[in-house]
Amino acid sequence: MARMDSTGRRTIGVGVIGAGWLGDVHARAWARLRHHYADLGVTPVFVAVADSVPAAREAAVSKHGFATAYDDWRDLLADPAVEAVSVTAPNALHQEIGVAVAQAGKHLWIEKPVGISAADAQAVADAVADAGVQGTVGFNYRAIPAMAKLRDLVAEGAIGAPTHARVRLLTDYAAHPLGTLTWRYSLASGGHGVLGDLASHAVDLTRYVLGDIESLVAQTAIFIAQRPTIVPGAMTYGHGLGDPDAPKGQVENEDYVQAMMRMQSGVLVALESSRVAVGEQNNYGIEVHGSQGLVEWDFRAPGELRLSTGTNYADQPSTRLLVGPGAGDHGRFQPGSSIPTSYDDTKVIELAGFVRSILSGQPEGPVLGDAVASAHALDAMVNSAAGAGWVTL
Amino acid sequence: MARMDSTGRRTIGVGVIGAGWLGDVHARAWARLRHHYADLGVTPVFVAVADSVPAAREAAVSKHGFATAYDDWRDLLADPAVEAVSVTAPNALHQEIGVAVAQAGKHLWIEKPVGISAADAQAVADAVADAGVQGTVGFNYRAIPAMAKLRDLVAEGAIGAPTHARVRLLTDYAAHPLGTLTWRYSLASGGHGVLGDLASHAVDLTRYVLGDIESLVAQTAIFIAQRPTIVPGAMTYGHGLGDPDAPKGQVENEDYVQAMMRMQSGVLVALESSRVAVGEQNNYGIEVHGSQGLVEWDFRAPGELRLSTGTNYADQPSTRLLVGPGAGDHGRFQPGSSIPTSYDDTKVIELAGFVRSILSGQPEGPVLGDAVASAHALDAMVNSAAGAGWVTL
Amino acid sequence: MARMDSTGRRTIGVGVIGAGWLGDVHARAWARLRHHYADLGVTPVFVAVADSVPAAREAAVSKHGFATAYDDWRDLLADPAVEAVSVTAPNALHQEIGVAVAQAGKHLWIEKPVGISAADAQAVADAVADAGVQGTVGFNYRAIPAMAKLRDLVAEGAIGAPTHARVRLLTDYAAHPLGTLTWRYSLASGGHGVLGDLASHAVDLTRYVLGDIESLVAQTAIFIAQRPTIVPGAMTYGHGLGDPDAPKGQVENEDYVQAMMRMQSGVLVALESSRVAVGEQNNYGIEVHGSQGLVEWDFRAPGELRLSTGTNYADQPSTRLLVGPGAGDHGRFQPGSSIPTSYDDTKVIELAGFVRSILSGQPEGPVLGDAVASAHALDAMVNSAAGAGWVTL
Amino acid sequence: MARMDSTGRRTIGVGVIGAGWLGDVHARAWARLRHHYADLGVTPVFVAVADSVPAAREAAVSKHGFATAYDDWRDLLADPAVEAVSVTAPNALHQEIGVAVAQAGKHLWIEKPVGISAADAQAVADAVADAGVQGTVGFNYRAIPAMAKLRDLVAEGAIGAPTHARVRLLTDYAAHPLGTLTWRYSLASGGHGVLGDLASHAVDLTRYVLGDIESLVAQTAIFIAQRPTIVPGAMTYGHGLGDPDAPKGQVENEDYVQAMMRMQSGVLVALESSRVAVGEQNNYGIEVHGSQGLVEWDFRAPGELRLSTGTNYADQPSTRLLVGPGAGDHGRFQPGSSIPTSYDDTKVIELAGFVRSILSGQPEGPVLGDAVASAHALDAMVNSAAGAGWVTL
Ligand SMILES: NC(=O)C1=CN([C@@H]2O[C@H](COP(=O)(O)OP(=O)(O)OC[C@H]3O[C@@H](n4cnc5c(N)ncnc54)[C@H](O)[C@@H]3O)[C@@H](O)[C@H]2O)C=CC1
Ligand SMILES: NC(=O)C1=CN([C@@H]2O[C@H](COP(=O)(O)OP(=O)(O)OC[C@H]3O[C@@H](n4cnc5c(N)ncnc54)[C@H](O)[C@@H]3O)[C@@H](O)[C@H]2O)C=CC1
Ligand SMILES: NC(=O)C1=CN([C@@H]2O[C@H](COP(=O)(O)OP(=O)(O)OC[C@H]3O[C@@H](n4cnc5c(N)ncnc54)[C@H](O)[C@@H]3O)[C@@H](O)[C@H]2O)C=CC1
Ligand SMILES: NC(=O)C1=CN([C@@H]2O[C@H](COP(=O)(O)OP(=O)(O)OC[C@H]3O[C@@H](n4cnc5c(N)ncnc54)[C@H](O)[C@@H]3O)[C@@H](O)[C@H]2O)C=CC1
């Protein structure tokens, strides 16, 4: 039942569950939707936020003007004014909350990786399908205009037939050995560490550009085996570091993964991801080779591509392409090429797809099936590294 | 007389004059202020927009919800609910509108270059001073977190005593010889072409980092001397190009400027700017050398610096520094280093300074004096290039 | 029996077998030895060259002044004035010639990969050991000053304990689908294609920096399955291309290999190599990560390293290090850092090691054992790709 | 009177005056001429070296086998077996030695900048013309294959009509404030410091690519005004540094120059050069803009160009071109693109031009007229910086 505001614009009642970093990013995206997608004719209404931490929900109200703030997300789902829900709570809650959102008949915008296993993601996917609501997953790298352009170039044959590729997400947020032993490092609450956190994006990007995976082999490592436990009342040190004298506890999940994949199309892909790569800050990227060229993207220069195209084959030069209004939705944000867009902008683009799917009833990727596919690949990597060698998906 | 909303937050009634690209950027910044500067306790109220083009003001209303839209900006200034005005109309109107805003007792956020000559900028500066309102100028490159970091590094002596520098703004928006002969290319309406448009930023950045200019010498060029005139009713071609068969008219203002400056501190600076640099898209940057190192910034990788610091002197390596929360206001937008922020984000940062100056009564740069100083340097470049050689400021 | 020239300098009688590109490179290196290593007190004497192609041996005589030129390399080995032999004939001849050189009691400087299988390399290694001569293998990437510096940095702990690495050799010499079906593409004469040709270097570099390999898994591809056969008397097209209308024949060996390796030290390594990577010209490099940093080298900027070192762990920047006289033998070629040295220079450095081993009787790497180790890894990759999965070395 | 060796090859008797770094580079180039230019049919004969320092001439004999070594260069010129002379002594001796070489009827290969003023260069040029010998000047940046390619691209119109350019030579060899007060820092022996040393190359490159200079304006600086004097018997510190407690003496010549030039063609050029640029190692390069594109070269990636060409005008991308056999004389050194050539290789290329001019009697640039033109520009920069403002050449 579509609702309208006084000027006849379609309203969407928004709820956000988990008002941390990404909860804030989602809320900002909702507020900015009209700036960049006025043509959708939609006015978001900030109905409710839910977070178990009072300060978090107060900050959300102050920044975004939510009408209500709940301690328990179940109360938010009971609110009939809420039509669409952002699920930006920690991974271990994705499954339970995601299923509940769908069962409440509300549209679901949920963060990756959608739980801590393929089973989790599948449960949410099933609930969404059963409820007939729309579901969008936060694989926001797809939304980067240069990435959309890269995919278009590959699809149009600009590099000929794809042959092989590399995808990497290397960063350092967990690189300090005194970083405390939070929930992130436990299997039960953090899942498979870098796999869900970063490699999930890598798998999704690969699938986005190159289709489905046939089989893979992986090796993983925990490079920082022990970290200081959180001692109630003890000192903490700069940058969220633990007490060097605190007792040490065991890290249970992966710091690093390296994999080789064979796509159903025959393309061979090397994947790598680390959360402890000292010296790397967001060294994320994809490089796709084909029979007539290559195309590459690097997150640290997010508005450009390296492209080699033509029929020289040998000594074919490569071009630095500063992507502009013609690439993805860049033109909705900046009128010219090479004017920087932000991480947050990509979430606005992702949201626009979610809203379009709500308006049209037609799913638009990344959908929950993509989360399931990504999670299956991650599970396969864990099995492979545990001794299974090549694993067929 | 500060006004409050129902929750006790300070409101600011906002007016925008000129609802083009930058008018939209300003409005978006006002909408996003709370997201990133909730601690200011300010709620902007979208009171009115003025634009002589109906479609422009309608779009502004649709995107931002302005309560009123005026054809004539004088009507907007007469609206008592308007407390602060964004002036984002074309350069030739800056002087008249800017003076009028101040005389109406409203705070002024005005785009660079503030008119088409130093006299224009001075008139607005005088009006602001006389009225006792606050005035902020759109020299937004100052607001980029990496630029704030660069300035801090120089000020802290990280490169020793500054010795020489280079600053450049090279781009290609006017590079096509069939780009039509719009107001941009006339002295009366467009002023000195690339000087006001881009070199104004270059001068401001130089002053921001290195203080005031003592003297300069310049050479300029019009590389595309003639362009197709706009023939009413005739065809136009892709990308805003004119009819190749249309009569050609004369370009009156500069495509390119090259200057050497001597700062009052003795630092020597080379400046260059072009609007017709084929192959360059936003090749903007500054490089500062000192007795113990160097620091550089490039707009195309806006979140990083190249820094060489230490006391090696010879063979001292340089470092790629991905700037993070510690740099300027980066941390208000993203929690980690090297997560991209956007051009629009810098306008939010600039706006926060404007709002702080309104709340505190203390001016915060870039103020109108900066626009005057920049405009004086531009006038000096024109004189120098016309035969005056070295010109003392 | 060391021989002396009239000024009392030790002479070494030089023979070169295979006067193609690398034969010429070896001869040039011999001529330049005195320029850069005068302190060795050695004067090379250009005794003889052998090549089955008359024009090749004539060119060698004209450029280098060899006293004699042989059609059959066996005659060269029978020449008692020859003390040291460069073997720069095609891979399929390495085993036979290499064994014969050693058996003739002459020192051996032989090009990689030393035959077309591990058995070939082992045969040559055994002959060298039995004869008590010195043997050096053309793994010249070791000799690059920046690579020596990289290895030193890793060994000194500049990046902490090594954790994972990437090594790549991607180029395009075989990328054109009309490149004719030469010996390179047959198993009997060309061995395993890109494996012997490029991946051999990759394996050697990895071992040089990170020690021995424990196990590996690989996938390979032939992306250009068929090529025009050489039709006697038919036209050839530009750049050594075949007749597009010529009958096509089957390519028998690998265009591309991708592998994951686990080193005995536990370090995880991703390796990739292609001879058909359109858009890549000599994209060769190695990137080593450790618990406290990283270090990278790229052949296309051969005189520099990217280094991140320190104990920041998170947000640790990386440095562009232009290597100079302190790195490897750079100072023997150029007095300052960042003055370019060449591919040929690295062969002079390699030769100096060979000559030192002759003078001292002490082997200096890369020796034949390194060729054997590399060849074993390549054989393992072939097996792995053929279905063996993880292969232990 | 051409002389022949026993095999009928033309011999050239070579003398080298000044056996320092460049003397060694010249001798190495002579030795390598046959390797890369066998088709010239020339065999150099190492007749004599002259250096006032015994160890320097002994090293030259040991490395290159000169038949004789002289203390006094006049004795070398009296040697009838010497046909061509490399003058690689310090700048202050160029004029006297250069004139004497020509007057002795010998061909002259002389290092830049050919003396310490335009008058010096003119004297040598006149002597060469009067004697009818050939004269080549060591402006070796012209010889770099990528530079030859850049010039060809500009000449062929690949970037349309040239409009403006930048040229820079920034390095740090004199950056340490404790570097001792050698002859380099005195006007009488070192001339105008960075002008002769580096800016001479900058001027020559500009002229090579863009033709003659019409007028210029410059500013200069001595950033390190005083340096420790050389105290006989006192300690020196690492890297050739002086005693920090030694008395300080005055630096008399320029550390830094910045200039704007207007070419006769109307092209506007910004030039910059420093010997004390902390953080820069051989940051040398040229960037040429034109009406349809741009082309750039950077010494630190000497085998590649950045090129933007086409008729897009706006948003025209740029290409990374790895130059290969088709560029200048690259193919004489390496068979493929992107295989590194060295600084020394460029001297072999320069020498080949000198030898061709000897064989043909036809001068081939860079000739002494180029040294005169460069020196005039440097003198003009000094005058301009001293207060003359714009100076017409
Ligand atoms: N798409 C992307 O690029 C990114 C996605 N993410 C995803 O976003 C999700 C959230 O991550 P962050 O925002 O970084 O974490 P965060 O820790 O900043 O925020 C999580 C919030 O959830 C709240 N929360 C915890 N338990 C709750 C409960 N039972 N009910 C309600 N609220 C609860 C916490 O109090 C906290 O405010 C994760 O799934 C993560 O994988 C995170 C970063 C980037
Ligand atoms: N800080 C920065 O980085 C930038 C600053 N600017 C500055 O912003 C200003 C506007 O530039 P753009 O937005 O690019 O131009 P634009 O042409 O997109 O927008 C100008 C708007 O002013 C309106 N206008 C014209 N005459 C008017 C009048 N008499 N009354 C009311 N509205 C009127 C036009 O209809 C148009 O909507 C310029 O001064 C420019 O220098 C522009 C781009 C970047
Ligand atoms: N270390 C490195 O970076 C490189 C090593 N190589 C290695 O060098 C070797 C030679 O390669 P290229 O010089 O590129 O090949 P090429 O084809 O240029 O030269 C081979 C030469 O051997 C001669 N030859 C063939 N059969 C002969 C015989 N029976 N007796 C005497 N001479 C014979 C040929 O006529 C030809 O002149 C190969 O093993 C290759 O793997 C090649 C390129 C780079
Ligand atoms: N083209 C280029 O890229 C370069 C050119 N040069 C030029 O090469 C020339 C030499 O420079 P470097 O080799 O770096 O200097 P250096 O100091 O290494 O060598 C100069 C040599 O000349 C000798 N010498 C001094 N007085 C002499 C005399 N009266 N008779 C004979 N020998 C005498 C010295 O003993 C010394 O061995 C300079 O003119 C310099 O501008 C230097 C470096 C690079």
Side-chain angles (χ1 to χ4, degrees), chain A residues 17-23 50-53 56 73 88-91 93-94 111-113 138 140-141 197 201 343 347:
Chain A
I17 299 176
W21 174 27
L22 262 281
D51 199 294
S52 46
V53 174
W73 54 267
T88 50
N91 301 356
L93 300 173
H94 290 178
E111 269 309 317
K112 39 63 55 183
N140 37 252
Y141 291 92
D197 204 25
H201 281 299
Y343 173 79
K347 279 292 182 190

Side-chain angles (χ1 to χ4, degrees), chain A residues 283-378:
Chain A
N283 179 356
Y284 300 164
I286 185 164
E287 309 170 22
V288 187
H289 293 260
S291 58
Q292 298 187 341
L294 61 81
V295 58
E296 298 181 2
W297 172 81
D298 185 321
F299 185 71
R300 295 162 301 178
E304 63 187 74
L305 297 176
R306 177 182 171 225
L307 174 67
S308 179
T309 183
T311 51
N312 288 5
Y313 298 103
D315 279 330
Q316 185 167 290
S318 62
T319 285
R320 179 189 189 186
L321 206 67
L322 290 160
V323 301
D329 279 5
H330 180 94
R332 294 204 175 243
F333 292 80
Q334 297 300 342
S337 66
S338 78
I339 304 177
T341 56
S342 66
Y343 173 79
D344 278 25
D345 291 344
T346 65
K347 279 292 182 190
V348 180
I349 298 174
E350 183 175 288
L351 171 58
F354 179 49
V355 170
R356 275 193 301 270
S357 74
I358 294 174
L359 298 182
S360 70
Q362 300 302 318
E364 194 176 308
V367 294
L368 284 148
D370 296 305
V372 173
S374 171
H376 273 302
L378 302 178

Side-chain angles (χ1 to χ4, degrees), chain B residues 20-22 51-53 88-89 91 94 111-112 138 140 201 343:
Chain B
W21 174 25
L22 264 280
D51 199 293
S52 45
V53 174
T88 50
N91 302 357
H94 289 178
E111 269 309 318
K112 42 63 54 182
N140 39 252
H201 280 301
Y343 173 79

Side-chain angles (χ1 to χ4, degrees), chain A residues 272-288:
Chain A
E272 200 185 10
S273 192
S274 177
R275 65 185 180 189
V276 299
V278 181
E280 300 286 20
Q281 292 88 44
N282 294 358
N283 179 356
Y284 300 164
I286 185 164
E287 309 170 22
V288 187

Side-chain angles (χ1 to χ4, degrees), chain B residues 17-24 26 50-53 56-57 70-74 87-94 97 111-114 138-141 183-184 196-197 201 343 347 350:
Chain B
I17 299 175
W21 174 25
L22 264 280
D24 208 16
H26 277 229
D51 199 293
S52 45
V53 174
R57 49 184 198 267
Y70 296 105
D71 175 40
D72 188 335
W73 54 266
R74 288 167 197 83
V87 177
T88 50
N91 302 357
L93 299 173
H94 289 178
I97 301 178
E111 269 309 318
K112 42 63 54 182
V114 188
F139 285 131
N140 39 252
Y141 291 91
W183 62 270
R184 286 184 175 283
D197 204 25
H201 280 301
Y343 173 79
K347 279 293 181 189
E350 183 176 289

